[in-house]
């Protein structure tokens, strides 16, 4: 009963809770801006909406220094392996927010050139709807991500990320074995997943 | 008008013509295309603004390659259209106009029309091993993506695979 003797000077908790508390309040965003959602994102970061209130002030344009990937805009099939590589290069643990309908589902671009949702190539934690979403919507999305981080266990997040690394290893293996470009391999992995009734390659 | 001068200098080269408010357009026969280009170059049309193409999907000839030229001195514009049957090559203008290099690569990439004499005829926008040429009328809009097409009731995927094979 050491707790009673020490009164308020000591608090016991689970390791998961305290680590997640630190993680969720010091997110380091990496903006992957490809379209108009990136313009709304600028507004979100600027003084009127002031995203730094949520502990995610320090934008980093290097994946090595960030742990929250914000995908802001349309991602083409040619961009898909690039997105996978950027996600792979980010510091662990890492989270992904798909901002806007293009990143979430391809949006209005139902064409050969557009990836029909980034969740087909990288794991996504929060989807923010809108075309483009207002800054409030994006802030709400990140608040939902913070709640999600607060709930998860450390081992579950680790397993989640390692699953992606296995798919990346398979992609590289296929590239070597069949002599195809990374674009074509990702495209074929997506088509293969689609033919098997799935929607994702990771 | 440059169209009249082309017709006077190169009789029979112009198959079809039309001009409305500076929208000067001539359709020329493929065999006489280079003659026409050299003639209008001498007339001052020395900037090739763009090269594009249309997949008409008609039995006589499938494609129409469209060249947009600008006369830098008079600011007049001229559009030259050339009918190209499927499988036929179009002479490259890369040796005459620098801007033809990438423009012709784009047309080759998206329509699959080969340009004869081009210094580096490789894909420009799509990746090197991309199957098919996406702006052809028989290329499925969604590129054969099952996930993309299943909820509109028709899957083009088998068709796309046979096309891309």
């Amino acid at each position: 009963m050491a707790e009673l003797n020490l009164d308020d000077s000591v608090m016991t908790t689970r390791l998961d809770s305290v680590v997640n508390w630190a993680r969720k309040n010091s997110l380091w965003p990496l903006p992957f801006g490809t379209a108009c959602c990136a313009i709304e994102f600028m507004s979100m970061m600027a003084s009127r909406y002031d995203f730094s209130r949520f502990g995610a002030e320090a934008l980093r344009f290097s994946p090595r220094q960030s742990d929250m990937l914000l995908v802001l805009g349309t991602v083409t099939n040619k961009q898909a392996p690039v997105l996978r590589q950027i996600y792979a290069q980010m510091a662990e643990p890492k989270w992904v927010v798909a901002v806007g309908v293009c990143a979430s589902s391809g949006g209005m671009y139902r064409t050969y050139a557009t990836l029909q949702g980034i969740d087909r190539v990288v794991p996504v934690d929060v989807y923010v709807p809108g075309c483009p979403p207002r800054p409030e919507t994006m802030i709400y999305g990140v608040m939902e991500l913070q709640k999600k981080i607060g709930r998860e266990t450390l081992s579950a997040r680790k397993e989640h990320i390692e699953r992606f690394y296995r798919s990346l290893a398979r992609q590289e293996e296929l590239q070597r074995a069949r002599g195809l470009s990374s674009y074509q391999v990702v495209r074929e992995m997506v088509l293969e997943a689609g033919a098997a009734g799935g929607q994702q390659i990771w | 008008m440059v169209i009249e001068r082309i017709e006077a200098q190169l009789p029979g080269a112009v198959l079809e013509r039309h001009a409305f408010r500076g929208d000067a357009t001539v359709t020329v026969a493929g065999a006489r295309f280079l003659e026409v280009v050299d003639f209008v170059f001498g007339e001052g049309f020395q900037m090739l603004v763009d090269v594009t193409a249309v997949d008409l999907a008609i039995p006589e000839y499938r494609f129409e390659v469209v060249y947009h030229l600008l006369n830098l001195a008079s600011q007049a514009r001229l559009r030259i259209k050339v009918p190209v049957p499927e499988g036929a090559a179009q002479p490259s203008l890369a040796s005459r106009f620098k801007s033809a290099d990438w423009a012709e690569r784009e047309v080759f990439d998206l329509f699959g029309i080969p340009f004869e004499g081009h210094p580096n005829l490789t894909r420009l926008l799509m990746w090197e091993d991309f199957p098919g040429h996406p702006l052809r009328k028989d290329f499925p809009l969604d590129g054969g993506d099952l996930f993309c097409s299943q909820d509109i009731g028709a899957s083009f995927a088998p068709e796309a695979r046979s096309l891309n094979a």
Side-chain angles (χ1 to χ4, degrees), chain B residues 80-122:
Chain B
I80 301 178
K81 293 184 180 179
V82 188
V84 180
E86 188 166 11
Q90 177 69 0
S92 171
L93 295 186
S95 56
R96 290 171 171 78
F97 301 95
K98 285 262 182 203
S99 61
D101 187 337
W102 279 26
E104 287 176 350
R105 280 176 66 188
E106 185 187 350
V107 171
F108 167 72
D109 185 355
L110 301 178
F111 290 93
I113 300 169
F115 285 87
E116 220 164 7
H118 191 284
N120 176 30
L121 196 65
T122 51

Side-chain angles (χ1 to χ4, degrees), chain B residues 16 34 37 58 60 62 72 74 81 83 88 93 106-107 110 120 122 134 138 158:
Chain B
E16 210 178 306
L34 287 179
V37 169
I58 53 172
E60 297 86 62
R62 182 168 181 180
L72 288 169
S74 70
K81 293 184 180 179
L93 295 186
E106 185 187 350
V107 171
L110 301 178
N120 176 30
T122 51
D138 56 4

Side-chain angles (χ1 to χ4, degrees), chain B residues 1-76:
Chain B
M1 276 294 289
V2 67
I3 300 180
E4 280 81 43
R5 285 198 295 278
I6 299 172
E7 283 182 330
Q9 291 295 316
L10 306 165
V14 176
L15 301 177
E16 210 178 306
R17 50 169 287 185
H18 109 112
F20 176 71
R21 297 197 174 186
D23 174 30
T25 306
V26 286
T27 305
V28 302
R32 309 200 59 184
F33 169 65
L34 287 179
E35 268 178 75
V36 173
V37 169
D38 287 337
F39 176 72
V40 298
F41 190 90
E43 291 282 308
F45 289 87
Q46 298 186 348
M47 182 175 171
L48 181 66
V49 180
D50 198 11
V51 182
T52 181
V54 188
D55 185 354
L56 296 165
I58 53 172
E60 297 86 62
Y61 53 89
R62 182 168 181 180
F63 300 106
E64 205 167 56
V65 181
V66 187
Y67 298 83
H68 292 101
L69 293 149
L70 173 66
N71 185 333
L72 288 169
S74 70
Q75 293 291 301

